[in-house]
Structure formats: C-alpha cells, structure tokens
C-alpha cells in the first residue's frame, strides 16, 4: 500500500516512474494477501495513470479482487480488456460488461465470448414458461416507463429554460429605443477667492520648494480633499495649477512666481515671452472658475461615494513595510507643520 500511495501522489508520472512502479508492484502484489491486493486494486481504480502490465495483473486476479478495478478503473487500455475477456473466466467478462463506456471492439469481444460459451445452443436452453413471459413483459414495461419519464423531465427542463430566455429577451426589447437617463450632475458650490493667509503660505512654500506643504495648503484653501491638491500639483505641465490659481483670483505676478518655482522649465523663454506667460495667456478666468468648481464637485461626489484614497502624507495611510519603523511618520509631521503655520498666521492677523 505504501508503494501504491506514493504512486498516487504523482500527478504526471514520467516513463521512468511508471517503469519503476511496475518493477516494484508486480512481485509485491503476487506475494500479498487477498485483502491487501483488494485494497491496492481499489486504490489504483482511482488513478488515471496505471501501466498496462499492472492493469493486466490486477484484472487477471480472482474476480473477488479484480471486480472493483474492472468496473471503475478508467485507465485500462482496450488491449488489456480484450486480453482479460478472452483469457479469463466469464465472471471477468460480465464484470467488464458493467463498465460505463465500452468501445466497439470490446463489445464485439463480449458478444463473441457469450456466444462461444458452452451450453449456448438452442437445445440446451431452458423451456420458457408463462411466468417467464410475464416477468419479461413487466421488465420491458418498467424500462419503457422509465425512459418516458426521463424524456418528459428533459422536455420540461427545456421548456423552462426557453421560457426564461424568452422573458429575458422581452425585458431587453422593452429597453430598446428608450432614451438613457443622463447621470445627475454633482452639486456645485461657489468658489471663494484666495485670502491673504493662504496666498502668503502658498508663496512661502513654493519658494522653499515644500511641494507637500504647498499641496496641503492648496487643498485647505479650496476646502477639498488632500488628494485633489496633490493631483493639481502633480500635473507636471503646470496647467491645472495655473487654472486653479487663476480661478482663485491670484495676481498674475504671484502666479508667475509660484509656477516658475514649482516648475522651473516654465521660466524658459519662448520667443518674446516665457513659457509661463504663454500658459497664463491661454487661460480665461471665468472659464477657469467654472472648470475648478466642476473639479471640486466631482471630488466631493467621489468622497461621498465611499471611494477612499490614501494620499502620500495622509494620516490614515498604512505604514510602509519597506521603511524602518524608527523614522517619524511624515504625515504627522506635515499635519503639525501646516497646523502650526495656520495658528501662527491667524494669531498674528488677530493682533
């Protein structure tokens, strides 16, 4: 059984594995007890890879041992079945006849074996009695009723499936030609102008190159999520930030100063003016305000819809396993610095 168990563990045995199993199995099977051989035959009946020599050895064993293997094993070659039918007892042939799938050659061999069996001539057949005729008629009637019941059940299942498909097609037909309802536009709120505090902080963070603090301050000024401010700053062309600053009513000189600090290539000259001047000349303040209000409304709808985004410096972002735990959390640092700037600036303004 240990040899059989180890062979069953091989999903795709190689030719060397099959050869080694044949060499080990044949002497062990011949020397084992009937109970051990019966267990081995039952175990190999489930295996999809049984060598032909092993299948022939098990199939040639006494019928009490080989019955389960001959009935259920799917890995028996057709030549092995033909050899067993022609050389073994009628009980072996009857057992093979109970298999689910039989080839034409195997069926012919079974018929030939049955016809060639001794005592099959007409004179040796027992005389049929009325009781035998009645039993045969009842058997045929039962088989007929069973076949009719199966056919009726199959027809019922087919009708039910057709009714379901018909109902689905009708439902699809009702929707054809109907105008699709456009999704409701998210509500917009008026965009407030940039106050002096936020403008001073934006100018200061742009000069010092604190991009993260600049994005956090911009999000606070727009009263939107932190990810929205990050997306505006991450636009390397500078167009989204220029549109936002123009919508907030920032002075042109301050916009040029912030944009050229954050995106140095905008300070390059292109003809008679710089790239930043060309960028700002193509922005209409009224159109920019409408555009930014739409962005903020879409950001609010995203937050209300349950989609969560963890910004790089967000306090809810999980710890990065690649970073040492001894480093302080950058999110907490950013939050503290921004809060400190707000408190100091508002306190000075109050004075």
């Amino acid at each position: 059984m240990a040899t059989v168990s180890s062979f069953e563990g091989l999903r795709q045995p190689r030719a060397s594995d099959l050869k080694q199993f044949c060499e080990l199995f044949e002497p062990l099977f011949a020397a084992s007890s009937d109970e051990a051989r019966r267990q081995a035959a039952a175990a190999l009946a489930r295996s999809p890879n049984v060598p032909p020599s092993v299948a022939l050895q098990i199939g040639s064993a006494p019928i009490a041992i080989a019955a389960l293997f001959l009935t259920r094993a799917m890995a028996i070659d057709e030549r092995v079945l033909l050899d067993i039918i022609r050389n073994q007892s009628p009980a072996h042939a009857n057992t093979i006849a109970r298999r689910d799938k039989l080839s034409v050659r195997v069926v012919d061999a079974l018929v030939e074996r049955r016809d060639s069996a001794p005592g099959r001539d007409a004179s040796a057949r027992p005389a049929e009695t009325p009781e035998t005729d009645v039993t045969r008629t009842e058997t045929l009637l039962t088989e007929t009723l069973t076949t009719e019941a199966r056919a009726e059940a199959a027809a019922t299942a087919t009708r039910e499936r057709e009714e379901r498909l018909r109902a689905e097609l009708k439902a699809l037909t009702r929707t054809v030609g109907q105008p699709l309802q456009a999704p409701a536009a998210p509500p917009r709120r008026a965009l407030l102008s940039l106050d002096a505090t936020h403008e001073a902080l934006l100018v200061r963070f742009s000069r010092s190159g604190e991009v993260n603090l600049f994005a956090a301050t911009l999000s606070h000024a727009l009263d939107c999520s932190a990810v929205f401010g990050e997306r505006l700053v991450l636009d390397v062309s500078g167009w989204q930030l220029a549109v936002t600053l123009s919508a907030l009513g920032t002075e042109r000189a301050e916009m040029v100063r912030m944009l050229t600090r954050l995106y140095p290539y905008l300070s390059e000259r292109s003809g008679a003016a710089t790239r930043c001047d060309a960028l700002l000349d193509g922005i209409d303040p009224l159109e920019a305000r409408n555009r930014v209000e739409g962005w903020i409304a879409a950001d609010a709808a995203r937050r209300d819809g349950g989609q969560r985004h963890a910004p790089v410096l967000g306090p809810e972002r999980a710890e990065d396993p690649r970073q040492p735990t001894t480093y302080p959390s950058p999110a907490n640092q950013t939050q503290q610095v921004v809060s400190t700037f707000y408190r100091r600036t508002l306190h000075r303004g109050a004075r």
Side-chain angles (χ1 to χ4, degrees):
M1 287 302 297
T3 304
V4 175
S5 300
S6 61
F7 180 74
E8 284 182 321
L10 300 176
R11 294 185 178 180
Q12 295 181 352
R14 298 169 296 182
S16 58
D17 298 333
L18 296 176
K19 181 179 179 181
Q20 183 179 6
F21 177 69
C22 293
E23 295 175 354
L24 294 175
F25 180 81
E26 292 178 0
L28 292 176
F29 186 79
S32 300
S33 61
D34 292 345
E35 182 62 26
R37 290 192 291 175
R38 189 180 298 107
Q39 293 180 3
L44 290 177
R46 301 189 299 266
S47 177
N49 303 304
V50 180
S53 59
V54 175
L56 180 61
Q57 185 178 9
I58 298 175
S60 302
I63 192 60
I65 298 173
L68 183 61
F69 183 80
L70 293 176
T71 306
R72 299 184 180 179
M74 294 290 104
I76 306 180
D77 191 61
E78 182 181 356
R79 293 174 297 177
V80 176
L81 292 176
L82 294 175
D83 193 351
I84 295 173
I85 292 172
R86 292 165 183 169
N87 299 325
Q88 300 302 323
S89 64
H92 288 74
N94 295 335
T95 303
I96 294 175
R98 291 197 296 268
R99 292 174 62 87
D100 294 336
K101 296 181 180 180
L102 295 174
S103 63
V104 178
R105 295 180 59 187
V106 174
V107 173
D108 293 341
L110 290 172
V111 174
E112 182 182 355
R113 177 61 185 270
R114 185 191 62 180
D115 295 340
S116 62
R120 293 294 300 178
D121 54 328
S123 59
R125 293 180 182 176
E128 295 183 355
T129 60
E131 290 79 2
T132 305
D133 294 338
V134 172
T135 304
R136 183 178 302 173
T137 303
E138 292 177 353
T139 303
L140 293 176
L141 181 60
T142 303
E143 294 178 355
T144 304
L145 293 177
T146 304
T147 305
E148 292 179 354
R150 292 178 180 176
E152 184 177 357
T156 303
T158 303
R159 287 195 299 270
E160 293 178 355
R161 184 170 60 255
E162 291 176 354
E163 289 296 332
R164 288 196 302 270
L165 292 175
R166 191 176 292 108
E168 293 178 1
L169 290 176
K170 289 182 179 180
L172 291 175
T173 305
R174 296 192 195 99
T175 58
V176 174
Q178 296 182 0
L180 298 177
Q181 295 181 357
R188 296 191 178 189
R189 55 182 174 84
L191 185 64
L192 301 179
S193 300
L194 189 65
D195 55 13
T197 302
H198 288 101
E199 184 175 358
L201 290 175
L202 290 175
V203 172
R204 179 172 183 175
F205 292 145
S206 63
R207 288 177 178 177
S208 60
E210 296 288 345
V211 180
N212 296 326
L213 296 178
F214 184 90
T217 305
L218 184 62
S219 301
H220 194 274
L222 296 173
D223 193 14
C224 60
S225 63
V227 63
F228 182 72
E230 289 183 4
R231 289 176 178 173
L232 294 177
V233 177
L234 287 176
D235 180 20
V236 295
S237 66
W239 179 79
Q240 293 187 12
L241 182 58
V243 171
T244 305
L245 294 177
S246 177
L248 291 173
T250 311
E251 296 182 1
R252 185 183 179 92
E254 296 295 340
M255 285 194 293
V256 171
R257 192 175 294 112
M258 284 186 283
L259 291 172
T260 53
R261 288 284 186 175
L262 294 176
Y263 312 103
Y265 76 93
L266 292 179
S267 60
E268 299 177 358
R269 301 197 64 82
S270 176
T274 61
R275 294 179 181 269
C276 185
D277 293 333
L279 179 65
L280 295 177
D281 291 340
I283 297 176
D284 182 17
L286 182 59
E287 182 182 355
R289 176 176 289 271
N290 294 332
R291 188 183 296 273
V292 174
E293 289 178 355
W295 290 348
I296 296 175
D299 178 71
R302 182 192 60 81
R303 285 186 293 174
D304 297 339
Q307 300 178 3
R308 297 187 57 82
H309 174 81
V312 177
L313 299 179
E316 70 277 5
R317 187 175 181 85
E319 295 183 359
D320 191 351
R322 300 170 296 178
Q323 300 294 336
T325 56
T326 56
Y327 291 169
S329 174
N332 296 334
Q333 284 185 344
T334 304
Q335 208 171 22
Q336 293 174 4
V337 172
V338 173
S339 301
T340 304
F341 272 110
Y342 287 150
R343 286 199 301 269
R344 289 179 180 177
T345 308
L346 293 178
H347 185 64
R348 292 174 183 174
R351 288 181 180 180

